[in-house]
Amino acid sequence: MDSAPVNWEALDSLVLEFIISEHLIQSEDASTTGVNPNPSSPLSPPESDSSPSTSSSHSSSSSSSYRSRMIIRQIRRCVESGDIDAALEQLRLHVPVLLDDHRILFRLQKQKFIELLRKGTERDRELAIQCLRVGLAPCALDAYPEAYEEFKHVLLALIFDKEDESSPVANEWSEKRRFDLAGLLSSILRAHLHAYDPIFSMTLKYLISIHKLFCNRQGIPSPISDLTERLLYEERDPPALPQEMFYEAPPFDEVDIQALAHAVELTRQGSVDSLKFAKGDLLLAFQNELSRMKLDLPSLDKLVHEYCVYRGIVDGFPTSTSDVEMENVRESNVYTTDKPGLVMDTRYANEATFLEREDCSTSDVTNQESGCSSRRLRRSRNHASELMRRRKRWRGRQENLNCITDASYTDTVGDANVDKDLKMKENENYEVILEMRELAYKGMAEKVVEEINCLDPDFFNQNPILLFQLKQVEFLKLVSGGDCDGALKVANDHLGPLAASNEALIKPLKETLLALLQPSEDTLVKAVPLPVLATSLQVAMGKRLGIEEPQLMRIVRATLHTHSEWFKLQMCKDRFEQLLKIDHLKDVDQFSKRVGESWSRSIVDDCANNGSSQITTCSSGKVPEEGTSPPVASTGEVSCDESAILKVMEFLALPRADAIHLLMQYNGNAETVIQQIFS
């Protein structure tokens, strides 16, 4: 399966917002980032130049949302463990208005009755009967139409034992009822408290769900199934209950109904119910449905921490995180600090690393190279200290509501088992990689090549494509600055020989040389976007140290590709990609413009240029805006009307792509398609 280019700076921003929102870093670090950590406002992008008052407001909003999510998790755990009294107490304390809804109160009282009987003592049986009289029976009268029948049915639990799997109340005894009720409460509380997950969590859920759907539909294996299967659970929380006043809600736009249904795999009626609960707000309904999907939080935190260390967002030294590797590492050569999730890896103790190569003098190393090494080492240590001061300190997830303030710890291990010199060396080596990435991101290609050749003379022999791309940047910058002679020297000395040894580079070389014909500031668009080049350089240099790229990068790269392919099949634009910042993740050029260069090379082909008419033809080769739909070409050029597509989708309960294919077979006539299917 192919992969898509990714704007890693956009992912950095989403991940940073996530770790701030979830309080995974220490609060003094979060308060100085200038990033909007408010997960309840996905339509408001982070502001880098926020005023102090705005930052304070964001911080307050983030803390409120985080506390609300913690309350929901506590209530959920109480119900899942069968402690209904504790859940009721938490609801009375934090969300008393919710208990005014007798539909919810009835379900809680019924589960309380079962849990008291489950304990099996005479005292608890007496309390169960009291619960029937005082709590359950009064609610059953006006909770919902079926409640009284359910009340009479649950009375059978008094005479049928919990171990009797053939009893008529075996389902009532099932502990699955706890989890269903806990999920229902979570869905209702999230919407009531506006305690939605951070955007990053919702984006990951959405991309993984579409990835699974695409792979299943196309019958192809997923290259990341080992990660996605344990990260996103198959089961979802039950949907929230619409308020009774919205049972007879006005009809919703069919476009909204179908968009929601196919985005999160709902039936049409499920989509309508979700819109009812959200009072017709499509984006809110979409958020509610995404929140019903469940991520494995320990796995997610592990992936995020690995990514943050790798990208230099938080302190630490990157390591591989496959389960087998981690177990082997723990048993043999890893010292784990008291910080959650932070591992110091000593697997590379006997490997020659960048700085060690430079420090080890040999007979064929010149004095100039030794001087280069000495300067490099001193400067890398100074640069490392500067970078370390800018990084965040990982704290880990705190599940106790009473412990939402920071549990501080120091970054020192204070143990003789740790080779401090080795740790320092490893950190220095990785700081060099981060520094090279930073220089590449700034477009300082010549300096990057010079520094890497000084550190590891064999690096570019193993990575000629990277050398070509860096020299291409250098060439184009010289052309842009009017130094054509210098540019030609770069082409003669580097680009030409590299292309001569790699046929795949001939075409990019020709396109690069064309810049000589019309030198301008825009000539740099021919180069690889700087963020892509900088990240590729980091990955390649990391592999020289035995450091693989983070698993999260694999997930995002693969799921963005299948997201694009899925909506090509659907022949429409994703209405939710802006909400979830997916458009930012795909826009490789977005952050390049911020460094003062014109790196606006488009990575999206013609099919991403949206059309605008209500009727489009199959020869356009473009993905239309929402509300338009190009049909698939057959023998001639046939057009499909959007209303016809929606009619077929609604009547036949078909996915959008299948509806379009059927319409193509019958000249775009929806009535004919429906007649043929039912005839």
Side-chain angles (χ1 to χ4, degrees):
M1 181 181 291
D2 296 331
S3 60
V6 180
N7 182 344
W8 298 115
E9 274 68 22
L11 182 59
D12 288 349
S13 179
L14 285 177
V15 167
L16 182 57
E17 180 185 6
F18 170 79
I19 63 177
I20 293 171
S21 299
E22 293 290 83
H23 289 213
L24 296 175
I25 57 175
Q26 295 211 54
S27 59
E28 61 267 25
D29 295 324
S31 63
T32 59
T33 58
V35 176
N36 174 13
N38 183 6
S40 302
S41 305
L43 295 178
S44 302
E47 296 290 340
S48 59
D49 57 347
S50 300
S51 66
S53 60
T54 304
S55 298
S56 174
S57 174
H58 286 160
S59 177
S60 173
S61 177
S62 173
S63 296
S64 173
S65 181
Y66 172 73
R67 186 175 181 84
S68 295
R69 292 198 301 275
M70 291 292 289
I71 290 169
I72 293 170
R73 287 175 193 163
Q74 279 209 348
I75 293 172
R76 182 180 199 123
R77 283 196 294 269
C78 289
V79 175
E80 288 176 348
S81 65
D83 192 349
I84 307 302
D85 277 334
L88 286 166
E89 183 60 31
Q90 289 288 326
L91 287 169
R92 291 188 190 100
L93 181 63
H94 299 292
V95 204
V97 69
L98 212 63
L99 296 178
D100 292 339
D101 188 335
H102 281 199
R103 296 173 302 169
I104 298 171
L105 187 58
F106 173 76
R107 288 175 168 87
L108 285 166
Q109 294 287 0
K110 185 170 71 166
Q111 192 63 39
K112 178 181 176 180
F113 169 70
I114 290 292
E115 297 302 335
L116 287 169
L117 288 180
R118 196 192 305 274
K119 292 180 180 179
T121 67
E122 283 299 320
R123 171 61 180 159
D124 288 313
R125 188 176 182 85
E126 291 174 5
L127 290 174
I129 293 174
Q130 183 181 354
C131 173
L132 277 177
R133 294 170 177 166
V134 178
L136 192 55
C139 284
L141 297 175
D142 60 356
Y144 47 90
E146 302 85 5
Y148 191 66
E149 286 302 317
E150 291 180 18
F151 167 71
K152 290 190 292 183
H153 180 73
V154 81
L155 291 177
L156 296 174
L158 289 167
I159 56 175
F160 286 96
D161 190 79
K162 61 184 177 182
E163 305 298 334
D164 186 357
E165 295 182 359
S166 62
S167 78
V169 284
N171 287 337
E172 300 290 349
W173 283 115
S174 172
E175 291 190 2
K176 184 178 182 299
R177 285 297 179 104
R178 293 177 178 176
F179 292 90
D180 290 342
L181 179 57
L184 174 64
L185 281 174
S186 296
S187 296
I188 295 171
L189 285 167
R190 271 191 299 266
H192 185 81
L193 298 174
H194 301 284
Y196 295 106
D197 293 334
I199 303 173
F200 171 73
S201 297
M202 292 193 290
T203 301
L204 203 57
K205 292 176 186 179
Y206 184 56
L207 288 174
I208 291 175
S209 66
I210 287 180
H211 176 82
K212 289 182 175 181
L213 188 61
F214 176 83
C215 291
N216 290 336
R217 183 180 175 86
Q218 298 300 104
I220 57 177
S222 166
I224 55 171
S225 59
D226 58 323
L227 297 169
T228 57
E229 293 301 325
R230 68 172 181 258
L231 186 58
L232 182 66
Y233 295 128
E234 288 293 331
E235 66 273 11
R236 304 182 186 184
D237 286 338
L241 304 170
Q243 295 181 24
E244 294 180 1
M245 68 181 67
F246 290 104
Y247 282 162
E248 300 298 329
F252 303 111
D253 191 327
E254 189 64 31
V255 173
D256 289 351
I257 295 172
Q258 295 295 339
L260 181 61
H262 293 290
V264 289
E265 297 182 82
L266 296 176
T267 63
R268 184 180 183 279
Q269 186 57 49
S271 180
V272 170
D273 290 342
S274 184
L275 284 167
K276 284 180 181 178
F277 182 76
K279 303 178 183 179
D281 187 327
L282 175 64
L283 296 183
L284 189 58
F286 177 69
Q287 281 183 272
N288 289 335
E289 293 304 320
L290 278 185
S291 296
R292 289 176 54 209
M293 300 180 186
K294 295 184 287 186
L295 290 169
D296 181 69
L297 291 182
S299 296
L300 177 62
D301 290 350
K302 183 178 176 182
L303 290 173
V304 168
H305 179 256
E306 179 198 24
Y307 178 84
C308 287
V309 171
Y310 187 86
R311 295 288 290 176
I313 297 172
V314 303
D315 292 339
F317 181 74
T319 64
S320 175
T321 57
S322 69
D323 291 338
V324 175
E325 251 183 288
M326 287 298 287
E327 285 303 318
N328 292 336
V329 164
R330 288 192 186 99
E331 291 173 4
S332 59
N333 49 19
V334 165
Y335 177 83
T336 305
T337 72
D338 59 347
K339 288 187 281 188
L342 184 57
V343 174
M344 300 301 180
D345 194 340
T346 62
R347 285 175 294 166
Y348 312 117
N350 298 319
E351 295 183 11
T353 54
F354 290 122
L355 294 176
E356 288 170 330
R357 290 194 191 98
E358 294 303 310
D359 289 338
C360 297
S361 301
T362 59
S363 58
D364 60 343
V365 175
T366 66
N367 291 333
Q368 182 180 1
E369 288 173 331
S370 297
C372 167
S373 169
S374 175
R375 290 192 304 272
R376 169 76 258 163
L377 181 58
R378 287 195 301 270
R379 196 156 66 79
S380 70
R381 284 175 175 167
N382 292 335
H383 187 76
S385 298
E386 179 186 348
L387 288 177
M388 291 291 283
R389 284 195 297 270
R390 300 202 314 241
R391 292 207 191 114
K392 321 303 172 199
R393 283 166 290 178
W394 188 264
R395 186 188 71 163
R397 191 174 294 275
Q398 305 293 320
E399 291 295 340
N400 190 338
L401 183 62
N402 298 320
C403 298
I404 63 173
T405 56
D406 285 309
S408 300
Y409 55 79
T410 63
D411 194 30
T412 60
V413 291
D415 195 293
N417 294 328
V418 179
D419 188 333
K420 294 183 179 179
D421 291 337
L422 176 61
K423 176 187 170 185
M424 179 71 71
K425 179 68 71 176
E426 289 172 340
N427 285 338
E428 286 171 357
N429 290 330
Y430 196 67
E431 295 304 334
V432 170
I433 297 177
L434 294 177
E435 183 182 355
M436 292 302 102
R437 187 190 77 185
E438 187 176 333
L439 292 175
Y441 180 76
K442 293 176 179 177
M444 302 169 68
E446 184 179 8
K447 190 168 188 61
V448 170
V449 174
E450 176 189 343
E451 296 280 1
I452 292 178
N453 279 332
C454 184
L455 295 168
D456 184 5
D458 192 47
F459 178 80
F460 286 119
N461 291 334
Q462 304 297 321
N463 298 277
I465 303 296
L466 274 176
L467 179 59
F468 181 89
Q469 292 171 337
L470 286 163
K471 286 298 177 181
Q472 183 188 41
V473 171
E474 183 182 345
F475 173 91
L476 293 171
K477 287 185 73 174
L478 289 169
V479 172
S480 176
D483 186 0
C484 292
D485 291 339
L488 282 172
K489 179 171 174 50
V490 171
N492 287 327
D493 293 348
H494 301 284
L495 295 178
L498 286 167
S501 61
N502 188 336
E503 189 176 342
L505 296 176
I506 295 293
K507 183 178 178 181
L509 175 60
K510 291 177 180 178
E511 294 174 349
T512 303
L513 291 174
L514 285 175
L516 290 167
L517 300 179
Q518 292 181 324
S520 69
E521 293 180 358
D522 293 333
T523 56
L524 293 173
V525 300
K526 299 178 183 294
V528 175
L530 287 179
V532 175
L533 179 56
T535 299
S536 298
L537 182 66
Q538 179 185 8
V539 170
M541 292 184 74
K543 286 182 178 179
R544 298 283 284 180
L545 288 180
I547 301 168
E548 295 297 327
E549 68 176 352
Q551 304 282 33
L552 183 60
M553 293 176 81
R554 284 183 57 206
I555 293 173
V556 172
R557 191 183 288 114
T559 54
L560 282 180
H561 170 72
T562 48
H563 177 272
S564 297
E565 294 302 308
W566 175 249
F567 281 95
K568 286 180 186 177
L569 285 177
Q570 300 303 307
M571 302 180 191
C572 66
K573 185 180 168 118
D574 183 0
R575 294 184 69 177
F576 307 108
E577 68 175 18
Q578 284 185 308
L579 177 78
L580 299 178
K581 305 295 189 291
I582 293 173
D583 54 338
H584 290 185
L585 291 172
K586 291 183 178 181
D587 186 2
V588 176
D589 300 316
Q590 177 191 23
F591 282 81
S592 303
K593 298 170 185 175
R594 296 188 179 181
V595 294
E597 302 286 357
S598 180
W599 303 91
S600 56
R601 183 178 69 89
S602 174
I603 62 164
V604 185
D605 57 22
D606 290 341
C607 71
N609 298 322
N610 301 322
S612 59
S613 61
Q614 271 294 327
I615 298 181
T616 55
T617 64
C618 60
S619 63
S620 66
K622 299 177 181 180
V623 176
E625 295 286 355
E626 184 65 36
T628 68
S629 55
V632 175
S634 54
T635 55
E637 184 175 289
V638 184
S639 60
C640 286
D641 185 77
E642 181 67 17
S643 61
I645 296 171
L646 291 173
K647 182 178 290 187
V648 173
M649 290 174 68
E650 178 182 358
F651 276 85
L652 302 182
L654 289 176
R656 184 182 180 89
D658 291 348
I660 293 173
H661 283 292
L662 275 176
L663 285 167
M664 297 311 302
Q665 297 176 30
Y666 296 98
N667 296 319
N669 191 307
E671 286 75 13
T672 304
V673 170
I674 295 169
Q675 288 173 5
Q676 290 295 323
I677 294 296
F678 286 106
S679 62

